[in-house]
Structures are given as C-alpha cells and as structure tokens.
Amino acid sequence: MHPQQLIPGCIITKQVLGKTRHPIIDENTVINEEHIKVLKHFNIDSVEVSEKLASGSLFTPKKMMVAGHSSRKNVQRKSRASFETLYLDTVSGYKEMFQKWQGGSPIDIYQVRKMMMPLFDYVKDISLDLFLLHKFASKQDYFYHHGVSIALLSAHLARKLGYEKDWIQAGIAAILADSGMAKLNENWLMKESRLTIAEYEEIKKHPTLSYRMVEDIPSVTKDMKLAILQHHERMDGSGYPLGAREDKIHPFAKIIAVSDTYHAMTSERVYRRKQSPFKVIEEMLKLKYQKFDYPVLQKFIDTLMNYTVGTRVMLSTGKEAYIIFIDSNQPTRPMVRLMDSDEIIKLNEKQAIFIENIITE
C-alpha cells in the first residue's frame, strides 16, 4: 500500500525500514497522521498493512493521486506570477518561523516541510527563474530570502545531479542550515556595515548551532544533519566549523555550498552590491578546485547556461543583446547579438565587456 492511501487507524504488519536499514515504524504500530507524514518524508513507496483497522472495521484505502499527463499539464500552467506570489509568501512564513526560533521555540520539521513543499512543486518547471531569485531579495529582508532561495536552488541542483528521491532532503537541509543564527545576537541581522573579525568569529558558530537544533529530530536524516553542519566547509579545508576536506564533506553540503555562494553574491545586501550571475559564476570558477566540488559546480553552471540561450541580457556597455551561443569551455562569455544593430559580439574576445544583467520582462 502506498502511504498516500493510508488513513489513521491502519495497522502496520511489517516493520518499515529506511534506506539506511534502520526501522522507521515498527510492526503492529497503529498509525496516525504523524506516522503518515514520516513515511512521506522518507519517500517510502509501499508498506504492508492489515485488512482491518484498529477499530475492527474493514480498511478502505484512499484513492491515490496519479501524476499522469493531465497533472503535468496543470503543473505547466502554473504562471510566473503565481510562483512569485508563493515565493514571497514563503519568505514571510520563514521569517515568522525564524523569529519563533529566536524566541526559543524548537524546530517543527513538519511545518518546515509544509511551508516548502508547494514551492518544491515548481522546481521542475520554472527553470531560469530559479537562478534569478536574487531579484526578489531586499536589503532589509535578505536573510529570509536567502534561506528560501538556497533551499530551492539546492533542491533543483540535487535533482539535476540524479538524486531522484532525496533532492527534497537537500532542499530542507538548506533552509535549516542557518537556523542556528537564531541563537546568536540578533543585532547582526540589522547591521549595516561589514562584520568585524570578532563578529565573524561569532557567526562561524552557526553551523554547529544549527546542527544542535536538529540533532534530536528523528525525521531529519543523518544526511541532512551532516549537510547542515558542513555547509560552510570547503574542499581545501579552509571552511568551518571543522575544517573538513574534500572527501569528508557530505554531497548535500557541497550542493548547499554552491547554492549559498551563488545567491549571496548575486543579491543586493546592506554592505555589498549584487553582481551579475555571469560575473558570479566567473568568480566561482576561479575557485572551482579550492573551495567547491567541481562536478557539483559544473552541473550548476551547465543547468544555468542551458536556460540562457535566447535570453535577453544587458551588457556592461549599456546595450541590450540576445545570447545566441554558449561555449561550454567559457560559459560566462557567450556569443551575443545586439538588439539595436544585429551585430554579433564574441565576449570571449572582448574581455572589457561582460553581461551586467539578465532581462526577464
């Protein structure tokens, strides 16, 4: 029986095991709504249940929603406007949730999932918009936009890397990665200048604090917990909090590291101007072996570039153009056609000119 078909009162007749072979629900458990949420969270495809409910009445399975052709069509009809509205509502919801954490409330993982799942439904369909989430971020609420945005980017990247079921775990880990910030002095949120060395050292404690906040939540997997703890670790050991190196860093942490850096550098912040996605990618590529996992970064870049052929852009000269060709060896310096003259410019031969912005309207 698929978890979608279960109802409270069903009796599990065979122990349910997760991917790590650890039991999730024991045999003869009478399940409730929380058990059903756990099964969905761990992407369990089927469970064995009794023909009768705990009450003694016959169990009638719920009808299961099948993601067929018609449902895919409905997903494709979701407009950019509806995504923007949902995204902004989710940022507001995350802000309220974070403020509760600041007040001492524990993380409610089911509420976190409930908040993020509607946005994750868009991940397969909105393509380029995912890489332009920075355009929504305001200086004042950057932190809350950042959390939601890196969750979406990380989920999308994990999916592109082949995590067919676990990509949602990568996304949830990403939005929880900065939860430990709630335990620090809240003045840093309102700070309008660069952090001092002492303040930066304090901020570097947040991965450990985030880990402590999820450590005892059973439905947060070990993979997610490691990703939360290690999302600021770097391949050359220069990251924090442990200084872990390449082979000791969890794949989800490597995914979050790329998403986190990209969104931070492309966003307008109180003490730092935003940069063009192409300039940011150029900067990240310079550190592709020292700081980032190269296959993860390359997949991120390939995905972004696949969406940008035919896209309208603003050049550093102030002229608008269309991207007509991208060389995989120099993805940040594509060939463009000027809108006002049809002149073709090879940016790899014009190093003084670069793409200032992507135009989506």
Side-chain angles (χ1 to χ4, degrees), residues 264-281:
M265 292 179 70
T266 53
S267 296
E268 189 79 21
R269 302 171 72 174
V270 172
Y271 57 86
R272 183 185 299 162
R273 290 189 61 190
K274 64 181 177 182
Q275 299 182 59
S276 155
F278 285 83
K279 289 289 287 182
V280 168
I281 292 298

Side-chain angles (χ1 to χ4, degrees), residues 50-101:
S50 171
E51 294 181 353
K52 291 187 176 182
L53 300 173
S55 63
S57 58
L58 193 65
F59 168 46
T60 304
K62 290 169 65 176
K63 288 185 178 180
M64 184 173 167
M65 294 293 292
V66 179
H69 180 70
S70 60
S71 66
R72 284 194 297 273
K73 272 191 172 181
N74 289 334
V75 170
Q76 290 167 359
R77 292 192 190 105
K78 292 177 178 177
S79 67
R80 180 177 291 169
S82 62
F83 168 75
E84 180 178 343
T85 299
L86 179 58
Y87 168 82
L88 293 174
D89 286 345
T90 304
V91 170
S92 295
Y94 175 55
K95 183 176 182 178
E96 291 179 12
M97 189 176 288
F98 186 83
Q99 288 171 343
K100 289 180 181 177
W101 298 340

